[in-house]
Amino acid sequence: MDENITEALKLMLVGMATVFAVLYLIIGASNLLIAFVNRFVGEDEKPAPKAQSQGATINPAVSQAISQAVNIATGGKAKVDNIKPL
């Protein structure tokens, strides 16, 4: 019985090490791909702004409140470019 437990623990250890190694390789490959894309692939230029429809206007106070809420929620890392009413 002692041999069975020892064999099971060895198999579990080998399996866990294999999973750890594969996940480590996946994370490394992902980081390399992200670095490559960020370095060599430029951002798309912003398209020309489209004309808003005549009936859909946003109150400037509401627009400012939304912008401030996004600023607070993201710690200043995001910027509101466009607000479309539903």
Side-chain angles (χ1 to χ4, degrees), residues 42-85:
E43 282 189 34
D44 293 338
E45 293 183 20
K46 289 186 178 180
K50 296 179 182 177
Q52 291 185 350
S53 62
Q54 297 293 338
T57 59
I58 300 290
N59 185 354
V62 173
S63 176
Q64 185 178 10
I66 292 172
S67 296
Q68 288 177 352
V70 169
N71 190 22
I72 290 169
T74 62
K77 293 182 180 180
K79 178 184 168 195
V80 176
D81 288 335
N82 191 351
I83 300 173
K84 295 180 184 177

Side-chain angles (χ1 to χ4, degrees), residues 12-28:
M12 184 179 72
L13 183 64
V14 168
M16 291 175 69
T18 303
V19 168
F20 178 78
V22 169
L23 289 176
Y24 186 76
L25 289 173
I26 290 171
I27 291 171

